[in-house]
Amino acid sequence: MKKVELINLPKFLDVRGNLSFVEQNNHIPFEIKRTYWLYDVPGGESRGGHAYINNEEFIIALSGSFDVVVDDGNEKKVFQMNRSYYGLYIPKGMWREINNFSSNSFALEFGSTEYNENDYIRDYDTFLKMKHDGKI
Ligand code: TYD
């Protein structure tokens, strides 16, 4: 079973400006089916209190900062994302919330599946029950 992991991405430091990159099936441990981004998030706002049944994701703070709270049903971990050369891998079946956005933050997210509302679990008690019943 894959685990939540903060992945240190390649970076080329240069006086002209720095460069980082990601590759699917390498730094991102899945084939990318979808890319989306969160922007113009008001400072202090919170998003994404839900779990995915199948979708795996990879999140980068391209600018600004935010916290990603990942919960496996037993334990919660908080990842403070504030550097564009780190990516957070989240496997399927985890409750996750993104909060504490700084103003002007920009979150880039990659997914392993196309968008499908049926893949979401939006109720925390349902998530806990499915987790404890071994359904996710
Ligand atoms: P949602 O994932 O609920 O946002 P968050 O978890 O960050 O609060 O997405 C908000 C809306 O955007 C959702 O109702 C449908 C739409 N959406 C898509 O159409 N495609 C996508 O890939 C995503 C992520 C969202």
Side-chain angles (χ1 to χ4, degrees):
M1 172 120 172
K2 292 181 179 173
K3 288 191 164 160
V4 179
E5 193 181 351
L6 197 58
I7 295 165
N8 197 356
L9 301 173
K11 61 175 187 287
F12 290 85
L13 303 181
D14 192 308
V15 288
R16 299 169 303 159
N18 304 332
L19 181 149
S20 287
F21 66 93
V22 284
E23 293 171 351
Q24 65 180 346
N25 297 322
N26 183 2
H27 318 95
I28 299 183
F30 54 77
E31 192 175 320
I32 300 162
K33 284 282 171 58
R34 181 161 54 116
T35 305
Y36 61 98
W37 47 96
L38 297 171
Y39 56 100
D40 291 346
V41 181
E45 195 51 81
S46 163
R47 296 208 52 133
H50 57 68
Y52 294 113
I53 298 168
N54 285 308
N55 186 52
E56 300 167 59
E57 55 181 342
F58 191 91
I59 305 177
I60 303 174
L62 277 190
S63 77
S65 63
F66 49 81
D67 294 342
V68 185
V69 185
V70 186
D71 176 351
D72 65 4
N74 286 312
E75 195 190 353
K76 279 185 193 179
K77 280 190 186 160
V78 182
F79 295 87
Q80 292 174 324
M81 308 296 292
N82 55 16
R83 292 281 183 261
S84 61
Y85 51 82
Y86 277 101
L88 182 66
Y89 168 71
I90 306 179
K92 62 185 178 179
M94 307 291 273
W95 187 267
R96 56 54 139 202
E97 186 180 309
I98 311 179
N99 59 33
N100 228 356
F101 282 91
S102 68
S103 48
N104 288 321
S105 57
F106 178 22
L108 182 63
E109 309 200 12
F110 301 94
S112 68
T113 66
E114 284 158 9
Y115 173 72
N116 175 5
E117 184 58 37
N118 295 329
D119 193 47
Y120 282 74
I121 306 166
R122 293 190 183 273
D123 176 68
Y124 188 69
D125 290 338
T126 305
F127 163 74
L128 284 182
K129 184 161 185 350
M130 288 178 79
K131 201 80 183 163
H132 293 149
D133 291 350
K135 288 187 178 154
I136 50 169

